[in-house]
């Protein structure tokens, strides 16, 4: 009888230990998953939870390509990724139409989604920065100080950045990851597929690399 009781007690102890270990393992798993989610760039996180099941694109509000629409929106704020995208739009496209600004933002975020480029807006924008005229976005390596002098223009492009980072897809460039102004014709453009011409920019896709926008 004592032997049976001892065996039962031992079995109960093993069960409790196994349960405690399982709970500890589960806790570690949740912690790991939380850490992983926190490491996901804001833009990718937003698009992951707002995707359209038909084509994988992010859902979002209807965009009006007009300054009046931007002016009606609240002031845009955000983290470092937001600031990098907003600054890139200011220095690269503040003189463009609103549609052109969204197109440039689309290219940057297409690069974030592409295996060919870094996986965050800041890393994409500053790729090559530090080597004069060898960066991806000239304003980051032309030797000139980056000064935002046109406050209203910055407020508007910041709203464009916010809309894009919040998951809205405008589908303007058919997955383009390159662009240049119509005033030049860089040699690299001959190697890629031209997808759109918006305002003073032409847009290109490298068909060797596909993104969700292709």
């Amino acid at each position: 009888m004592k032997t049976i009781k001892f065996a039962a007690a031992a079995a109960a102890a093993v069960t409790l230990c196994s349960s405690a270990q399982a709970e500890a393992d589960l806790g570690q798993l949740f912690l790991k998953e939380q850490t992983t989610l926190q490491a996901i760039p804001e833009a990718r996180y937003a698009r992951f939870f707002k995707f359209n099941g038909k084509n994988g694109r992010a859902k979002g509000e209807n965009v009006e390509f007009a300054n009046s629409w931007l002016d009606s929106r609240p002031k845009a704020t955000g983290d470092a990724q937001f600031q990098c995208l907003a600054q890139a739009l200011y220095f690269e496209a503040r003189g463009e139409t609103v549609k052109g600004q969204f197109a440039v933002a689309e290219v940057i975020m297409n690069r974030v989604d592409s295996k060919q480029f870094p996986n965050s807006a800041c890393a994409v924008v500053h790729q090559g920065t530090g080597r004069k005229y060898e960066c991806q976005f000239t304003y980051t390596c032309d030797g000139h100080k980056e000064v935002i002098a046109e406050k209203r223009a910055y407020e508007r492009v910041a709203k464009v950045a916010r809309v894009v980072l919040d998951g809205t897809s405008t589908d303007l460039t058919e997955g383009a990851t390159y662009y240049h102004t119509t005033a030049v014709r860089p040699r690299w453009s001959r190697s890629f597929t031209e997808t759109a011409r918006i305002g003073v920019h032409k847009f290109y896709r490298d068909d060797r690399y596909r993104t969700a926008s292709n």
Side-chain angles (χ1 to χ4, degrees):
M1 187 69 174
K2 288 183 179 181
T3 301
I4 295 175
K5 288 182 177 181
F6 177 78
V14 170
T15 301
L16 288 173
C17 289
S18 298
S19 177
Q21 183 61 47
E23 185 175 348
D25 291 343
L26 186 60
Q28 289 295 319
L29 178 61
F30 282 144
L31 181 61
K32 183 178 180 180
E33 290 297 323
Q34 183 180 30
T35 302
T36 301
L37 287 173
Q38 289 173 344
I40 297 175
E42 179 181 2
R44 286 189 174 181
Y45 190 83
R47 286 199 293 279
F48 180 78
F49 285 103
K50 296 181 181 181
F51 71 93
N52 183 315
K54 183 177 179 180
N55 58 15
R57 289 190 180 281
K59 295 181 179 179
E61 61 189 297
N62 293 325
V63 174
E64 296 179 27
F65 301 118
N67 283 326
S68 58
W69 183 77
L70 290 176
D71 291 339
S72 69
R73 301 183 63 80
K75 183 178 179 179
T77 59
D79 61 8
Q81 303 305 318
F82 158 78
Q83 293 171 23
C84 286
L85 181 56
Q87 289 174 10
L89 294 178
Y90 176 82
F91 290 110
E92 292 281 310
R94 69 180 181 277
E96 259 286 12
T97 62
V98 174
K99 188 175 184 179
Q101 291 166 359
F102 270 99
V104 171
E106 197 173 290
V107 166
I108 294 172
M109 300 316 299
N110 283 343
R111 287 192 173 197
V112 173
D113 286 341
S114 172
K115 294 180 180 179
Q116 188 182 9
F117 298 96
N119 63 358
S120 74
C122 286
V124 163
V125 169
H126 292 287
Q127 186 177 12
T129 300
R131 303 189 302 270
K132 194 167 185 179
Y133 297 120
E134 293 185 20
C135 55
Q136 295 293 310
F137 294 86
T138 306
Y139 80 92
T140 69
C141 67
D142 60 6
H144 298 297
K145 187 176 181 181
E146 297 160 20
V147 178
I148 297 176
E150 301 174 37
K151 301 299 182 183
R152 188 175 186 187
Y154 177 77
E155 289 176 359
R156 283 175 171 168
V157 296
K159 292 177 181 180
V160 172
R162 184 72 272 162
V163 170
V164 172
L165 287 172
D166 283 344
T168 296
S169 178
T170 47
D171 299 330
L172 296 171
T173 68
E174 298 182 24
T177 48
Y178 296 87
Y179 65 88
H180 65 77
T181 69
T182 54
V184 298
R185 189 186 179 189
R187 185 178 301 174
W188 56 257
S189 65
R190 302 170 191 169
S191 303
F192 303 138
T193 301
E194 183 176 338
T195 62
R197 178 173 177 172
I198 302 172
V200 298
H201 286 99
K202 288 185 176 182
F203 298 85
Y204 299 83
R205 180 179 65 236
D206 184 347
D207 287 324
R208 295 173 302 172
Y209 300 89
R210 312 295 286 182
T211 71
S213 299
N214 297 158

